[in-house]
Amino acid sequence: MRRSRWRSGAIVGLTAAVVAGYAAITMTGASAAETLLSQGKPATASSTEAAGAYLASEAVDGNAGTRWASAFSDPQWLQVDLGTTQSISRVELNWETAAGKAFEIQTSNNASSWTSIYSTTTSTGGNQNLTVNGSGRYVRMYGTQRTTGYGYSLWEFKVYGGGTTTPTDPTTSPTGPTLPGGGSLGAQVTVFDPSQSSASIQATADAIFAQQETNQFGTQRNLLAFKPGTYNGLNIQVGFNTSVIGLGQNPQDVRINGDITVDAGWFQGNATQNFWRSVENISLYPVSGADRWAVSQAAPFRRMDVHGDLNLAPNGYGWASGGYIADSRISGVEGQYSQQQWFTRNSQIGSNSNAVWNQTFVGVQGAPASSFPNPPYTTIAQTPVIREKPYLYLNGGNYAVFVPSLSTNSSGVSWANGNTPGTSIPLSQFYVAKPGDSAATINQALAQGLNLIFQPGVYHVNQTINVTRANTVVMGLGYATIIPDNGVTPVQVADVDGVKIAGLLFDAGTTNSANLLVIGPNGSSANHAANPTTIQDVFFRIGGSIAGKATNSLLVNSNNAIIDHIWAWRADHGNAGTYGWAVNTADSGLIVNGQNVTAYGLFVEHYQKYEVVWNGNGGKTYFLQNEQPYDPPTQAAWRSGANGYAAYKVADSVTSHEAWGLGSYCYFNVNPSIHSNSGFEVPVNSGVKLHNLLTVSLGGNGVIDHVVNNTGAAAQGTATVPVYLNSFN
């Protein structure tokens, strides 16, 4: 990344932060009655670089040729007295080369007790335009780490307030009274404190598990959150629609001497339906030396520090069908055992045991060497580009969301050398949505400049939630679920930099929606390489709970987007009347139109046409787990004149695309005579390359005639033996 350098107030270069700031200004438009509050007001500082020079007042004089500079030590601060308590909406920092790497923007009414309204540990200086939400008479920059060996130096420190930022799109303009940021996380968030007895914590967790163990398609949602500290003798069993998190800055801040367990006793030892549950940000010391996490889809294991082994199979080594690990350290063995496929990214493991069909490692220290197909390990040393998922934590006793920084060519965990690099956003800058909130209310909060957190629960929306501001964070807690009514698209993101969508379950409504999540409008063309939008732990369900319908689940039009773990699922089972060939109709799970889009951990299953459609150039996919639709009643009903649809289709017009570790399986249980021509369909040219592919017929229920196009043998027969292909093109 090119750094900014400043000479006499002139810009010589632009950092990504500047570009992001300008993008935010462009998209949100002019401020409504926003006022510059700080210019000419009394300013003080912790120090100055030289006596009588570089005074605090020179950072609020409106002259970009004069500056404040501090002594060469940490911490240092600069504050301005606004005269009266004001609402603060924006802060501009025009740094000299000697900038702050780690700093907070703080407010106070008495200049002695301070509230943080912005925090970062990865600033590179330059001209920063920070959207904030707070109030106070005094506003200060409080720096704790410098970018250089010199001090802190600001050409200008500008504080704005008195209004809200109004988007230029009138459909997303605030339409009612100002909504507050922050607030309760909801009754379905259970917070544990280390001062509580182990018995009381265990009893509460057991009661929640008893409700959720078999509640696959129920409406109850739960988040179990552990405050920093040590907990002893616990076995937290995790059921459906339940998330377990630590509230520390890093995994080591929450230590559980015990287990966090997923098993499959409820399903006679079969783990293939252990969906929709997660664990995150905890240091775990298993009682027996091995923790059990026997899951299949939509069950991420993130930011975990396991001091021992991790067993990914159910008790008795019954069936299990794939999962996802990221940003985690396992000191012992990552035990795949009966897992048919698994994806592990940016982690550190002591070793790995076993492989069934398709085990893929990207940026994993300690991963086995690539040996596909015998054993079927696909190992890539570094992750080309990623930003880890935002997470909820306690910052100085207050809830905040930490947004990790973008990294390139990385391996291992983000927290190996201390805090994960990134930025902290206080909960006061989020609208905390609760079940029953309308889409209009949520849009108003977004239009005010707030980020968005969904409490655990189910949300019906009768209009599109529009995310139009760059760098907006949209997070769900405890498998918060959005259901569109009347066929609307529930969430649409503008073609802006750095939006983060994480931890949501979209459940298609009974009236067909064109899409469930759209990233960028049609024709999006901006380059977001320096600050891409991320979609992480976002899941889509068509049928199963209700008789849902959606033509497509996820549509990505923006360039450079990162998809990091999705499960798009057209239901093959569920509540009575909610699934069937003509009931829960859906063409595709993922359509990518953007250029240079990267996907890690795609799980896309049972859609009725091409399940993944890739139209943009420069795309990269690391791991796909797919099952073709179970239920075509006849060959003609699926596709007249051809044998079905491939799972993964790269458009004929694409000239550059690459993918690793792709698997497609068939189980045509309604009509076992069905044939699918291939698992994968791509144009034949040197710029489109596929590596380490397989197809499987499960128990001989149907045939996949080829692996790619017309290449590769048929997957067929009751022996359930994969057909492998090492490369194509």
Side-chain angles (χ1 to χ4, degrees):
M1 180 183 297
R2 187 167 55 148
R3 294 183 181 274
S4 287
R5 295 186 62 82
W6 299 78
R7 297 193 186 98
S8 299
I11 302 177
V12 176
L14 289 176
T15 63
V18 179
V19 175
Y22 289 161
I25 294 169
T26 300
M27 291 306 301
T28 57
S31 297
E34 191 177 58
T35 303
L36 176 58
L37 303 173
S38 55
Q39 190 161 312
K41 296 296 176 64
T44 53
S46 53
S47 66
T48 57
E49 181 179 340
Y54 308 117
L55 302 177
S57 59
E58 295 180 294
V60 295
D61 61 2
N63 182 353
T66 61
R67 62 186 175 95
W68 162 72
S70 77
F72 304 166
S73 62
D74 296 308
Q76 300 290 340
W77 52 262
L78 169 76
Q79 74 182 42
V80 59
D81 179 0
L82 304 180
T84 60
T85 298
Q86 300 282 345
S87 175
I88 312 303
S89 59
R90 188 160 58 91
V91 173
E92 288 186 14
L93 300 169
N94 182 341
W95 292 102
E96 198 258 348
T97 302
K101 178 180 179 181
F103 66 87
E104 295 184 5
I105 302 299
Q106 301 174 333
T107 62
S108 175
N109 288 324
N110 55 19
S112 60
S113 58
W114 295 90
T115 298
S116 177
I117 60 173
Y118 175 85
S119 175
T120 183
T121 59
T122 57
S123 170
T124 56
N127 188 10
Q128 296 179 298
N129 189 338
L130 309 177
T131 299
V132 297
N133 182 24
S135 64
R137 173 175 171 174
Y138 302 89
V139 182
R140 76 175 178 179
M141 184 288 300
Y142 186 83
T144 55
Q145 185 179 358
R146 293 157 286 145
T147 60
T148 72
Y150 299 100
Y152 297 80
S153 185
L154 282 164
W155 296 105
E156 284 294 300
F157 179 56
K158 295 182 178 180
V159 178
Y160 292 85
T164 57
T165 302
T166 306
T168 56
D169 180 355
T171 65
T172 59
S173 298
T175 57
T178 300
L179 296 169
S184 171
L185 297 177
Q188 299 309 112
V189 174
T190 303
V191 180
F192 299 114
D193 187 283
S195 65
Q196 294 176 254
S197 71
S198 296
S200 67
I201 294 172
Q202 190 68 57
T204 300
D206 287 349
I208 291 171
F209 179 68
Q211 295 173 320
Q212 296 293 69
E213 181 182 11
T214 64
N215 195 18
Q216 185 171 174
F217 297 105
T219 58
Q220 182 170 323
R221 304 288 185 266
N222 291 96
L223 174 68
L224 282 63
F226 288 81
K227 289 184 177 181
T230 299
Y231 301 80
N232 296 308
L234 299 178
N235 181 17
I236 306 300
Q237 299 185 79
V238 188
F240 283 105
N241 301 307
T242 301
S243 296
V244 180
I245 67 171
L247 290 171
Q249 170 82 47
N250 296 304
Q252 302 95 323
D253 296 336
V254 174
R255 172 171 174 160
I256 292 181
N257 295 316
D259 297 89
I260 299 177
T261 303
V262 177
D263 207 343
W266 75 277
F267 202 46
Q268 295 77 55
N270 180 346
T272 60
Q273 291 185 24
N274 280 352
F275 312 141
W276 303 305
R277 62 197 76 198
S278 66
V279 65
E280 184 173 5
N281 205 28
I282 291 171
S283 184
L284 195 62
Y285 291 73
V287 169
S288 67
D291 191 57
R292 187 184 302 279
W293 186 256
V295 298
S296 288
Q297 289 75 44
F301 191 92
R302 285 189 185 263
R303 288 183 65 80
M304 292 295 291
D305 189 13
V306 179
H307 294 257
D309 299 339
L310 184 66
N311 185 340
L312 302 176
N315 186 29
Y317 301 99
W319 293 341
S321 185
Y324 174 95
I325 292 172
D327 204 19
S328 293
R329 182 169 62 192
I330 301 161
S331 68
V333 180
E334 180 180 326
Q336 309 265 347
Y337 303 115
S338 56
Q339 281 288 351
Q340 294 166 348
Q341 62 276 313
W342 195 277
F343 180 73
T344 307
R345 179 186 61 69
N346 282 87
S347 293
Q348 179 182 336
I349 63 176
S351 62
N352 181 84
S353 69
N354 206 51
V356 179
W357 293 339
N358 182 21
Q359 272 66 29
T360 300
F361 304 84
V362 179
V364 178
Q365 297 171 358
S370 281
S371 54
F372 192 92
N374 186 28
Y377 293 138
T378 299
T379 300
I380 297 166
Q382 293 183 317
T383 302
V385 57
I386 193 66
R387 178 194 294 118
E388 296 297 344
K389 178 188 170 189
Y391 58 93
L392 184 73
Y393 79 116
L394 286 169
N395 184 9
N398 298 312
Y399 286 114
V401 170
F402 195 83
V403 180
S405 299
L406 192 71
S407 64
T408 56
N409 301 321
S410 60
S411 68
V413 298
S414 68
W415 39 273
N417 299 313
N419 293 342
T420 296
T423 301
S424 179
I425 305 175
L427 192 66
S428 61
Q429 292 186 30
F430 284 80
Y431 178 71
V432 182
K434 58 186 181 300
D437 278 352
S438 67
T441 297
I442 292 169
N443 276 332
Q444 180 180 334
L446 290 168
Q448 288 176 202
L450 293 172
N451 300 288
L452 181 60
I453 283 179
F454 290 88
Q455 293 178 358
V458 178
Y459 298 77
H460 282 264
V461 296
N462 61 5
Q463 66 184 74
T464 300
I465 295 171
N466 290 296
V467 182
T468 62
R469 181 174 56 85
N471 301 310
T472 301
V473 179
V474 178
M475 284 180 57
L477 302 179
Y479 285 83
T481 302
I482 301 176
I483 302 175
D485 294 332
N486 305 318
V488 303
T489 294
V491 176
Q492 167 94 39
V493 178
D495 191 27
V496 295
D497 273 357
V499 173
K500 295 90 180 172
I501 308 290
L504 289 171
L505 171 59
F506 291 88
D507 208 350
T510 55
T511 301
N512 187 74
S513 293
N515 299 282
L516 297 179
L517 173 60
V518 178
I519 307 299
N522 292 334
S524 294
S525 59
N527 185 322
H528 304 293
N531 189 11
T533 285
T534 49
I535 305 102
Q536 298 177 290
D537 296 348
V538 174
F539 309 122
F540 305 89
R541 184 167 63 194
I542 318 292
S545 60
I546 55 178
K549 298 174 175 64
T551 304
N552 176 64
S553 291
L554 173 60
L555 174 62
V556 178
N557 292 316
S558 289
N559 298 330
N560 312 106
I562 298 172
I563 305 168
D564 180 36
H565 190 217
I566 65 167
W567 184 37
W569 183 64
R570 177 180 166 264
D572 61 275
H573 66 275
N575 295 329
T578 65
Y579 63 98
W581 187 252
V583 178
N584 58 328
T585 54
D587 287 355
S588 301
L590 169 64
I591 298 174
V592 178
N593 295 326
Q595 309 297 307
N596 303 313
V597 171
T598 304
Y600 305 98
L602 294 184
F603 298 78
V604 184
E605 300 190 287
H606 308 154
Y607 288 81
Q608 294 171 297
K609 294 186 179 178
Y610 290 122
E611 304 200 43
V612 175
V613 180
W614 211 290
N615 297 315
N617 275 311
K620 293 184 177 181
T621 293
Y622 299 86
F623 184 88
L624 166 74
Q625 189 265 320
N626 165 264
E627 285 184 348
Q628 299 193 9
Y630 284 7
D631 53 347
T634 65
Q635 199 76 53
W638 190 12
R639 189 179 188 187
S640 179
N643 283 347
Y645 293 88
Y648 190 92
K649 167 67 174 176
V650 179
D652 295 344
S653 59
V654 170
T655 58
S656 59
H657 185 90
E658 197 162 10
W660 296 259
L662 312 181
S664 180
Y665 322 136
C666 74
Y667 183 67
F668 300 126
N669 62 346
V670 171
N671 183 349
S673 70
I674 295 291
H675 281 244
S676 171
N677 182 71
S678 64
F680 313 96
E681 185 177 316
V682 303
V684 180
N685 65 61
S686 60
V688 176
K689 301 176 182 180
L690 305 182
H691 312 274
N692 298 1
L693 317 165
L694 69 145
T695 55
V696 181
S697 174
L698 302 176
N701 286 275
V703 179
I704 301 177
D705 295 323
H706 306 283
V707 180
V708 184
N709 298 351
N710 293 319
T711 298
Q716 59 187 338
T718 58
T720 312
V721 176
V723 176
Y724 289 111
L725 189 67
N726 281 77
S727 63
F728 185 83
N729 280 354

